[in-house]
Each structure stands twice: as structure tokens, then as C-alpha cells.
Amino acid sequence: MKVLPTLLLILAGVLVGGTWSLHKQGAPRAAVVVVGLLAVLATAGGVLWLLPGES
């Protein structure tokens, strides 16, 4: 069962939404970049976890 990658991808979606919201509200650039990077890391982790490989 692939629960963790699903949770990571859901988290990535929330973080992308948060990044967009911060950007639209005029938050400091550093905050937008940090949340955006966390979104990228969560997406990468979720996708890489789903790739076939040794178990």
C-alpha cells in the first residue's frame, strides 16, 4: 500500500496553494521561496517513492 507517497503529494498540493496565496498577499520573497522549495521537495519525494526499484 502506497500511503506515504500519497500523503507527500497531498502535502505538495497544499504547499503549492500556500505558495500562491503568499505570493498574492505580498508576503516577503524569502517566505514564498521557502514554501515553494518545500513544495518541490514534497513533490519530488512523492514521485520518487512511487518509482519502481529494489525492495
Side-chain angles (χ1 to χ4, degrees), residues 1 7 9 15 20 27 30-31 35 37-38 40 45-48 51-52 54:
M1 196 160 151
L7 292 176
L9 292 172
L15 288 170
W20 183 251
V35 176
L37 287 175
L38 289 173
V40 169
V47 169
L48 289 176
L51 292 177
E54 295 180 27

Side-chain angles (χ1 to χ4, degrees), residues 9-36:
L9 292 172
I10 290 169
L11 175 63
V14 170
L15 288 170
V16 168
T19 302
W20 183 251
S21 179
L22 286 171
H23 172 70
K24 295 300 271 184
Q25 293 178 28
R29 184 174 178 90
V32 176
V33 169
V34 167
V35 176

Side-chain angles (χ1 to χ4, degrees), residues 2 4-6 8-9 43-55:
K2 306 283 184 181
L4 189 58
T6 303
L8 281 172
L9 292 172
T43 303
V47 169
L48 289 176
W49 200 296
L50 290 173
L51 292 177
E54 295 180 27
S55 48

